[in-house]
Amino acid sequence: MNAMKTVINSLPILAIAPSQVIRGQGIVHKLVDYLPTWLQGSGKSALIISGTKSKASVKTALDQADIPIHYADPIENCSEVNLKKLQAEITKHQPHFIIGCGGGKVLDTAKLIAHQHNLPIVTIPTTAATCAAWTALSNVYTEAGAFSYDVVLSRCPDLILVDYDLISTAPQRTLIAGIGDAIAKWYEASVSSGSSDKTLVIAAVQEARILRDILFQKSTEALQNPTGSVWQEVVDATVCLAGIIGGMGGAQCRTVAAHAVHNGLTHLPQSHHTLHGEKVAYGILVQLRLEEFQGNQLAATARQQLLKFYSEIKLPQNLGDLALGDITLKELETVAAIACKGGSDLHNLPFYVHEHQLIAAMVSTTVPLVAA
């Protein structure tokens, strides 16, 4: 009798969530107490990767720590130049784990360095502007601040510490940007993955819809009452729930035109004073215009709904709101060419988009509905 042959079909590995998520007020000052036991003990050392402002916050918390602490020079950007400098820090200090403390680009840098050296990583977000503290993804930019490429990481952070007191010290603009970045999950995932029959992708898309509804319902009150309970719920939505959606949906639940427009805009130096989520929020409107060009009336209605919401919480509605109202046609063509190039997230749309169509969408995000 012939032995039965075992066939194993391997599915992609999903990095859904950090191993531990700790939330609370003032908890950064007890950071050492929250470290997993395998990161504590004699001889275990940490390399701190932070921004200029966030370095002071984490240094106060760790000054009394019973572990050797090494501080890298503060950074502002996840670039190959900074990554190279941090490689040298790793070689010099031989740390046992990484602590990243700061905004999205700082955390992306810390995660990527930890990934490259197979080191445990603790993330401490100082703003709620993105879900970078949660996700297994790092975006790399040029030294000039233009988006270059992204790197999928092997896992989410080992520990994320969400300290509401720390996040509350960030400008309110950062949370508004985080709302814009998070709400894009629905408008992009529903287009790229809304027809999927895969259980976890279906769940991720529906979670993105729930995230949108939470933000519609709670954002205005949260911004009116910073540090309150509703404000904390919105922080959880932008930092944690947005991260879960990307982790659960995996590569199939992709970003689409909103992030492609963001990536293109980063190649304009005059866009660098605006935040990631502000550009993404504008990019959602651009994506909906592209869908309207295909005759999608639901997209037109959704755009009008978003314009009202953006007006309430002060998210950018057009190029002028991004202080880009005076850019030239040549600059618009540059943005469109980058957003439409091969491999761009724009191509996750279910229809072809010409560069000229994208330009038309970019300059018409606030056009009113035309009565039938």
Side-chain angles (χ1 to χ4, degrees):
M1 182 176 181
N2 294 332
M4 294 182 63
K5 184 178 180 180
T6 300
V7 178
I8 299 175
N9 293 317
S10 178
L11 293 171
I13 295 172
L14 292 177
I16 297 176
S19 300
Q20 287 185 297
V21 180
I22 301 175
R23 299 169 299 149
Q25 294 173 303
I27 57 175
V28 72
H29 299 292
K30 297 183 178 180
L31 171 59
V32 177
D33 296 338
Y34 295 127
L35 292 177
T37 55
W38 47 275
L39 292 183
Q40 301 178 23
S42 177
K44 295 293 178 68
S45 64
L47 177 67
I48 312 299
I49 298 173
S50 62
T52 302
K53 293 180 180 178
S54 53
K55 181 178 179 180
S57 300
V58 75
K59 193 173 189 305
T60 300
L62 291 173
D63 272 348
Q64 305 303 317
D66 191 25
I67 55 175
I69 301 293
H70 308 288
Y71 293 91
D73 290 337
I75 61 170
E76 294 183 359
N77 195 10
C78 185
S79 66
E80 291 187 350
V81 170
N82 282 332
L83 289 166
K84 187 175 181 179
K85 290 178 181 177
L86 290 167
Q87 296 278 4
E89 293 286 331
I90 295 285
T91 301
K92 178 181 178 181
H93 298 296
Q94 295 292 305
H96 295 85
F97 64 103
I98 304 292
I99 297 176
C101 181
K105 291 182 178 179
V106 170
L107 297 178
D108 275 359
T109 308
K111 290 186 301 181
L112 184 49
I113 282 289
H115 168 79
Q116 291 172 340
H117 292 271
N118 196 29
L119 290 171
I121 170 74
V122 176
T123 55
I124 306 172
T126 56
T127 78
T130 72
C131 58
W134 186 285
T135 58
L137 181 74
S138 290
N139 293 316
V140 181
Y141 295 78
T142 67
E143 276 298 287
F147 175 81
S148 186
Y149 59 92
D150 57 42
V151 180
V152 177
L153 311 177
S154 59
R155 66 181 191 274
C156 293
D158 298 274
L159 168 65
I160 174 176
L161 212 68
V162 181
D163 187 326
Y164 301 117
D165 285 349
L166 180 59
I167 291 174
S168 72
T169 64
Q172 189 176 71
R173 177 187 176 191
T174 59
L175 178 57
I176 295 171
I179 292 167
D181 190 35
I183 208 167
K185 296 289 186 186
W186 163 250
Y187 296 95
E188 294 188 297
S190 61
V191 168
S192 70
S193 310
S195 60
S196 174
D197 61 354
K198 305 300 182 185
T199 297
L200 292 182
V201 176
I202 292 170
V205 173
Q206 292 308 308
E207 287 290 343
R209 178 183 57 80
I210 292 168
L211 173 59
R212 178 203 64 181
D213 292 346
I214 288 171
L215 294 174
F216 277 164
Q217 294 162 12
K218 297 188 177 185
S219 292
T220 300
E221 181 179 350
L223 294 169
Q224 291 171 347
N225 300 284
T227 76
S229 60
V230 175
W231 178 88
Q232 290 183 10
E233 295 297 330
V234 171
V235 169
D236 285 345
T238 60
V239 175
C240 304
L241 183 52
I244 291 172
I245 292 163
M248 185 180 295
Q252 297 179 67
C253 198
R254 302 178 181 207
T255 54
V256 191
H259 276 80
V261 169
H262 161 275
N263 295 344
L265 286 173
T266 64
H267 288 257
L268 298 180
Q270 58 268 50
S271 78
H272 294 167
H273 72 283
T274 57
L275 301 176
H276 171 87
E278 293 171 335
K279 290 190 277 284
V280 170
Y282 161 76
I284 302 171
L285 300 175
V286 176
Q287 177 177 309
L288 290 171
R289 282 296 286 155
L290 291 171
E291 294 178 64
E292 287 179 65
F293 294 167
Q294 301 296 311
N296 186 334
Q297 289 304 304
L298 288 178
T301 301
R303 182 172 59 84
Q304 295 303 314
Q305 181 185 36
L306 273 184
L307 287 172
K308 181 176 183 296
F309 178 65
Y310 284 13
S311 179
E312 290 174 359
I313 69 168
K314 296 182 170 40
L315 275 170
Q317 301 178 41
N318 53 40
L319 287 168
D321 291 341
L322 292 170
L324 297 173
D326 294 330
I327 63 173
T328 65
L329 176 59
K330 184 176 181 180
E331 288 172 322
L332 272 174
E333 289 173 341
T334 296
V335 172
I338 292 168
C340 291
K341 70 179 182 180
S344 167
D345 292 333
L346 185 82
H347 302 299
N348 291 323
L349 284 169
F351 50 84
Y352 174 75
V353 175
H354 190 276
E355 291 175 23
H356 292 167
Q357 290 174 308
L358 181 57
I359 292 172
M362 290 177 65
V363 299
S364 63
T365 51
T366 57
V367 67
L369 285 176
V370 178

